[in-house]
Amino acid sequence: METTRVPADQAGILLASKALKAGLTVGVPTETVYGLAADALNAEAVRGIFLAKGRPADNPLIVHVLDRAQAEGLAVITPLAQTLMDAFWPGPLTLVVPKKDAVPDVVTAGLDTVALRSPSHPAVRELLARSGLAIAAPSANRSGAPSPTTADHVMADLQGLIPLVLDGGPCEVGLESTVADATGLVPVVLRPGAVTPAMLAAAAGECLVANSAMRPLEKGEAAPSPGLRHRHYAPKARITLVKGPGDKVAARIRALYGAEAKACVMVMEDRLDAYQGLRTFSLGKDMYQAAHRLFTLMRQADEEGLSRILAEALPEEGLGLALMNRLARAADFDILSL
Ligand code: TXA
Ligand code: MG
């Protein structure tokens, strides 16, 4: 299959809308990461997503909608979901709510809940409006690889496997949306993202974070979010995270670096001085820049053929929680605490 890449302008969006209506899959930009889109109510089209990504069938998809009115056709909007929609939609918040029959089982991997998100990126909103479809879209990477934050990343992973990619430039946030269970009275964060627990608590009065969000699942433990079962966001290079006082961390990272054939160090900009003379990747000045860069840097390490990424742990506050969640999973929880 030939993969066509077109700008996410009116002509491109029209092409994408036709492709989705014809049951095809399309790579689309969102404010978080690129998604691999298909008509959510067309089970055959949704199967095409799983096939192209090599995604395990037990990992359910997020359904993208324009607004609450469209969400209502797909799911029961609980009072909590309503509150959170009012506060954060459109934007990087996915809500898990009880599903209605309209949503095919292939989308939800047989669960009785569905994950809904109303994205804010103008191109995907235009696509939702023009097609009138609900759009199922996981991140547009091969399963297990870092999520794509540019059309180049989508092409690198899925060229030849999907017919069309809409190029909308680099994604603003760079990390996948916050996934929150909104079936009960209190939101439970299943996957941290740019909408932080503190922001959710400010809107809903309270917020819990599933403890599985920041640690590996134990053997045989049921995953609150099926995606947590699978290794995620990982480049080919092995990642090790080092936590502790700055001087100790730098000494340990230098020692590990010396023992590795082709290593790099990934740290915030203000920590680069501690690693002079080593190959370094800067995550930037603040957590927003770090989120924007993280997956790109992981891919760059692979392109350079690096075998090891040595990263300083980040503070698990605000957006730092989402960054550490992705880093810890990409490292397969190889975390040294000093
Ligand atoms: O930012 C995003 O969320 C991007 C863009 C494209 O919207 N999408 C994305 O999709 O990251 P994906 O498939 O890579 O991640 C979806 C996550 C998975 O961890 C999945 O297990 C979880 O949402 N999920 C989906 N449906 C669920 C459900 N019914 N209950 C619990 N977790 C669910
Ligand atoms: Mg994904």
Side-chain angles (χ1 to χ4, degrees), residues 15 55 60 80 104 108 116 163-164 214 219 225 299:
L15 209 59
R55 183 180 177 103
L80 174 61
T108 60
L116 297 181
L164 186 65
M214 296 310 284
K219 230 177 159 215
S225 188
R299 283 174 180 263

Side-chain angles (χ1 to χ4, degrees), residues 166-240:
L166 276 186
D167 185 349
C171 299
E172 190 187 325
V173 178
L175 294 181
E176 308 86 345
S177 63
T178 304
V179 178
D181 184 329
T183 57
L185 297 175
V186 175
V188 182
V189 173
L190 306 178
R191 178 178 73 180
V195 176
T196 63
M199 291 162 71
L200 291 167
E206 224 185 310
C207 176
L208 300 172
V209 179
N211 75 354
S212 51
M214 296 310 284
R215 60 166 177 79
L217 288 177
E218 321 236 323
K219 230 177 159 215
E221 181 183 358
S225 188
L228 296 175
R229 271 200 297 272
H230 306 284
R231 184 164 184 240
H232 248 192
Y233 321 113
K236 295 188 193 78
R238 177 178 162 204
I239 302 183
T240 300

Side-chain angles (χ1 to χ4, degrees), residues 32 35 55 59-60 62 64 113 115 117 138-139 176-177 191 225 227:
T32 56
R55 183 180 177 103
N59 194 2
I62 293 173
H64 298 72
T113 53
R117 170 161 117 79
S139 49
E176 308 86 345
S177 63
R191 178 178 73 180
S225 188

Side-chain angles (χ1 to χ4, degrees), residues 23-37:
L24 301 174
T25 58
V26 181
V28 299
T30 83
E31 71 278 21
T32 56
V33 301
Y34 274 73
L36 182 57

